[in-house]
Amino acid sequence: MALRLGDTAPDFTQESTEGPIHFHDWIGNKWAVLFSHPKDFTPVCTTELGEVSKLKPQFDKRNVKVIGLSVDPLADHKKWAGDIEETQGAKLNFPLLADADRKVSDLYDMIHPNANDTLTVRSVFIIGPDKKVKLIITYPASTGRNFDEILRVIDSLQLTANYKVATPVNWQHGDDCIIVPSMPDAEADKAFPKGYKKVKPYLRITPQPNL
Ligand code: BEZ
């Protein structure tokens, strides 16, 4: 059955450009982004992996580990890494799983046969330190992802986990947040020392709590 939000992210051991990865051990007590790309030595994928390498300090700052995947063999990943550095001006600085036997792709349902029966689509999974799946997005092969959006979602997820706030439409770092509906006013009065505006009983707006 397909993975859903709140499920435990399937554990696995697989080869990578940084040696064998035991997934849950590798995540440790951090957050993780697992993302697949269709194929090595393809143009859109090359730009994506260069961009994720450039954004690595942003993921580190948020306590997030990043790992890529395709069904290509390790030797191809290693050869392609040179092209990524040469063309994107960024050295590959996170592991790429070599999932030639499709072990991980099948576990995470990353091959969508009606799109392509052999290659992975552009899947993204955000996984929390509790190893639960927090976000799933799927893009087609022809559309490069917006990894700034992935960082934005991580910020939102971490605010919810740490401060019990949700984020409204088009929220960006620094914008006001929304107190989760499950929190009674009496608790919110104590939890948000900067105060909050009660627009409706279910719509309570407060400044971003970690600023
Ligand atoms: C690409 O990365 O450019 C790509 C890969 C598979 C299909 C289409 C584009």
Side-chain angles (χ1 to χ4, degrees):
M1 202 168 86
L3 269 181
R4 292 177 175 171
L5 300 190
D7 291 353
T8 298
D11 199 12
F12 59 80
T13 299
Q14 185 57 290
E15 277 306 324
S16 87
T17 49
E18 297 186 7
I21 299 275
H22 308 285
F23 192 49
H24 283 197
D25 292 346
W26 177 83
I27 295 174
N29 59 5
K30 300 197 175 223
W31 292 69
V33 175
L34 167 66
F35 70 99
S36 55
H37 64 271
K39 194 158 178 52
D40 293 358
F41 304 106
T42 52
V44 177
C45 300
T46 303
T47 62
E48 284 193 330
L49 295 203
E51 178 64 11
V52 175
S53 295
K54 287 177 196 161
L55 288 174
K56 174 90 171 2
Q58 292 298 323
F59 287 106
D60 289 345
K61 205 168 93 179
R62 291 162 173 81
N63 212 23
V64 178
K65 296 179 90 171
V66 185
I67 189 162
L69 171 151
S70 73
V71 292
D72 298 285
L74 194 55
D76 281 5
H77 280 350
K78 289 187 171 168
K79 194 157 169 246
W80 184 39
D83 289 0
I84 293 166
E85 185 170 5
E86 179 192 329
T87 62
Q88 306 304 306
K91 192 174 164 63
L92 191 69
N93 53 14
F94 58 92
L96 275 191
L97 292 164
D99 196 41
D101 62 4
R102 304 187 190 184
K103 188 199 296 179
V104 182
S105 313
D106 286 342
L107 273 175
Y108 283 80
D109 198 25
M110 291 166 163
I111 296 176
H112 297 196
N114 290 326
N116 186 302
D117 58 6
T118 54
L119 305 178
T120 44
V121 291
R122 297 189 196 278
S123 298
V124 183
F125 295 88
I126 298 180
I127 297 159
D130 58 1
K131 315 295 183 295
K132 302 286 186 199
V133 176
K134 309 292 184 185
L135 167 135
I136 302 172
I137 323 181
T138 309
Y139 289 68
S142 51
T143 304
R145 285 160 283 204
N146 181 338
F147 282 91
D148 289 331
E149 167 63 4
I150 307 302
L151 288 168
R152 190 190 77 90
V153 179
I154 290 167
D155 285 343
S156 173
L157 287 166
Q158 293 185 341
L159 280 167
T160 306
N162 297 330
Y163 299 96
K164 296 191 181 167
V165 291
T167 55
V169 60
N170 295 338
W171 176 85
Q172 294 288 341
H173 180 78
D175 291 349
D176 286 348
C177 299
I178 290 172
I179 299 169
V180 294
S182 57
M183 186 185 285
D185 281 354
E187 191 183 333
D189 293 345
K190 291 187 205 131
F192 299 100
K194 292 178 196 160
Y196 59 90
K197 188 174 164 198
K198 194 168 172 178
V199 182
K200 291 279 181 190
Y202 57 84
L203 177 55
R204 296 168 298 173
I205 296 171
T206 190
Q208 184 175 322
N210 62 343
L211 294 181

